[in-house]
Amino acid sequence: MLKRTRSENDVMDPAPSPVSATGKTIIGKQVAIEGGIQGSEDLVIDGTVRGSIELEKFHLTVGPKGKVEAEIRAGNVTVSGQLKGNIKALDRVDITKDADFNGEIKAKRISVEDGAYVKAVIEVERESQKKVEPVGKAIDSFASAPGKESIPLVSEGDKGK
Amino acid sequence: MATFTTLAERPKEHPDPDATQVYYTSNVLRLFAEYLERRQDTQVLDLGPICEETIAFLSRRVKRLYVCDMFLRMDRDRRRGIPPGRAWRHLDYPPQSFDGILLWELADRLEEREARKLAELCYTLIKPGGKVVVFVPGEQAVQDVVNAFVIGDGFRLYLRPQPHLDLPLRKRQNRNVLGMMAPLKSVKSFIYRNGLREFLFQHD
């Protein structure tokens, strides 16, 4: 029985694989998929996908060359390419400056780089313990800086009073 | 009664080294936040330039935050030779959708006709009683580039240049701004020591 031993050639083998050593799947530039994608590992899309993507708690990345039109559910989502559709993320959504995004985002945290081409509806899940800064704080800071007041220019609401 | 701080007076631990010398506490933003606190299930539209600090500030205070970066869209249209009047196709929202609209300095980047069109559109999109926020940067050096209005703690605003945007500036006097937004009622406006002006309008 022949037993194949590992050689240097094996290590150097450039044969492409859709699954990297780090456990993520890459949909390459020349690949187009229409339909539903479900997975339990990170996914990087550099090609074209149309349909739905469900990755549970895993990370979806739409690469700079990626074109996606889909309903997305994932742990985290990073958008650097074109994405049209709705994102529901367990944790965060990052939109980079090269992104072209059109759709809805529901997540706990969202970051958007300056220059991103975005038209979106954003709903951030509010953590119950996180309080919004009370508006009164700003008034206190005004009062502590005498001599640096702004000048009320027009006050239509006060007219006639 | 707001504070305006010059670059020299700015805290050294300022979070953004790219921020310009404009850095002040906004009265209109405070009023807008107070207004949002009084409403329920609010929907607000931010017309950009979009920045994440402002998204974070607003999204904590509203139910649904709509963002449509009109600066980027107008810039792209201009580079493609698309007439400015077609920019409004992007604002395809149903009438009376929003409790608030943030125009920032968008109107100052528009010719008179388009600025009035924008005001009419705001009037259509805003709910009765809804508020519209308009800013006009003061200093020439600040006006030369388009800026994102970055909201920090305590309603402090600083301006972050957006060098990727190339939109000509149309300087307007206060009366021009008020006239241009005529369908909406002016509620409050403030001028700061560096000439920066901020306006709050309302749909009756």
Side-chain angles (χ1 to χ4, degrees):
Chain A
M1 186 172 146
L2 291 173
K3 190 175 178 183
R4 192 167 181 260
T5 55
R6 184 174 288 269
S7 68
E8 277 188 12
N9 287 342
D10 286 325
V11 177
M12 300 297 287
D13 186 358
S17 167
V19 182
S20 76
T22 54
K24 68 181 174 191
T25 300
I26 299 169
I27 296 176
K29 290 176 192 171
Q30 305 301 322
V31 179
I33 296 174
E34 190 157 345
I37 296 175
Q38 284 186 309
S40 297
E41 64 180 17
D42 295 347
L43 174 64
V44 178
I45 301 174
D46 287 323
T48 304
V49 173
R50 196 170 178 179
S52 65
I53 300 168
E54 288 191 38
L55 295 182
E56 301 175 2
K57 62 184 178 183
F58 295 94
H59 193 145
L60 170 69
T61 302
V62 179
K65 302 286 183 188
K67 290 183 182 178
V68 176
E69 196 172 327
E71 296 292 311
I72 294 165
R73 296 171 79 96
N76 299 294
V77 179
T78 302
V79 184
S80 296
Q82 288 180 32
L83 173 54
K84 186 175 182 182
N86 303 323
I87 299 172
K88 189 163 187 183
L90 293 178
D91 190 16
R92 65 179 297 142
V93 174
D94 297 307
I95 299 179
T96 73
K97 61 181 169 52
D98 300 315
D100 179 349
F101 175 76
N102 190 336
E104 289 190 25
I105 299 172
K106 288 184 183 178
K108 283 182 184 161
R109 293 178 291 171
I110 294 171
S111 79
V112 182
E113 285 183 5
D114 288 6
Y117 195 79
V118 175
K119 183 176 182 182
V121 184
I122 295 170
E123 279 188 55
V124 173
E125 287 178 35
R126 299 178 200 198
E127 295 169 33
S128 56
Q129 70 274 18
K130 197 170 184 179
K131 282 188 175 178
V132 173
E133 182 176 17
V135 290
K137 187 176 177 183
I139 299 170
D140 294 342
S141 69
F142 301 155
S144 65
K148 292 185 177 178
E149 296 87 10
S150 64
I151 305 158
L153 180 66
V154 183
S155 182
E156 297 288 339
D158 293 336
K159 275 185 178 176
K161 288 182 181 176
Chain B
M1 292 193 305
T3 56
F4 163 67
T5 312
T6 64
L7 181 62
E9 297 167 301
R10 216 174 61 188
K12 285 178 183 167
E13 66 278 13
H14 193 274
D16 187 347
D18 295 331
T20 64
Q21 64 270 35
V22 175
Y23 178 79
Y24 75 107
T25 304
S26 170
N27 273 330
V28 158
L29 206 57
R30 177 177 54 82
L31 292 170
F32 189 66
E34 284 174 349
Y35 157 74
L36 291 178
E37 278 187 9
R38 293 194 299 269
R39 309 272 284 204
Q40 289 193 328
D41 296 336
T42 44
Q43 299 199 135
V44 166
L45 174 64
D46 180 358
L47 295 180
I50 289 168
C51 68
E52 71 175 89
E53 295 92 337
T54 302
I55 287 175
F57 176 91
L58 292 169
S59 61
R60 290 202 307 268
R61 287 171 166 80
V62 302
K63 182 171 173 57
R64 287 163 72 86
L65 173 63
Y66 289 70
V67 292
C68 182
D69 194 329
M70 286 304 296
F71 291 83
L72 213 48
R73 280 165 173 76
M74 284 164 44
D75 181 70
R76 214 177 257 197
D77 282 358
R78 197 179 65 81
R79 290 171 198 269
R80 290 173 178 170
I82 297 172
R86 290 206 56 216
W88 313 121
R89 70 190 187 281
H90 298 293
L91 299 179
D92 53 352
Y93 303 105
Q96 298 190 359
S97 290
F98 303 109
D99 302 275
I101 299 177
L102 293 138
L103 292 189
W104 305 112
E105 60 159 332
L106 181 61
D108 249 23
R109 303 285 165 181
L110 298 170
E111 291 175 6
E112 190 70 16
R113 184 178 163 188
E114 296 310 322
R116 288 187 182 277
K117 176 69 182 166
L118 173 63
E120 287 169 16
L121 204 49
C122 285
Y123 189 79
T124 305
L125 295 178
I126 202 89
K127 293 176 185 174
K131 303 258 195 287
V132 177
V133 173
V134 175
F135 285 75
V136 181
E139 294 171 335
Q140 183 62 47
V142 175
Q143 291 179 332
D144 285 344
V145 292
V146 176
N147 291 284
F149 287 76
V150 182
I151 306 175
D153 292 337
F155 306 102
R156 281 187 287 274
L157 270 180
Y158 61 97
L159 306 189
R160 187 160 65 217
Q162 306 288 299
H164 55 278
L165 296 173
D166 181 18
L167 295 168
L169 176 75
R170 324 281 176 185
K171 286 192 173 182
R172 289 195 173 86
Q173 302 293 326
N174 298 322
R175 71 180 65 176
N176 297 128
V177 175
L178 296 170
M180 178 188 75
M181 300 299 292
L184 296 157
K185 179 186 169 190
S186 170
V187 179
K188 289 278 184 188
S189 55
F190 301 91
I191 185 167
Y192 294 81
R193 287 173 181 244
N194 64 344
L196 191 143
R197 292 164 283 163
E198 49 182 28
F199 301 84
L200 189 63
F201 294 93
Q202 180 175 312
H203 186 304
D204 285 335

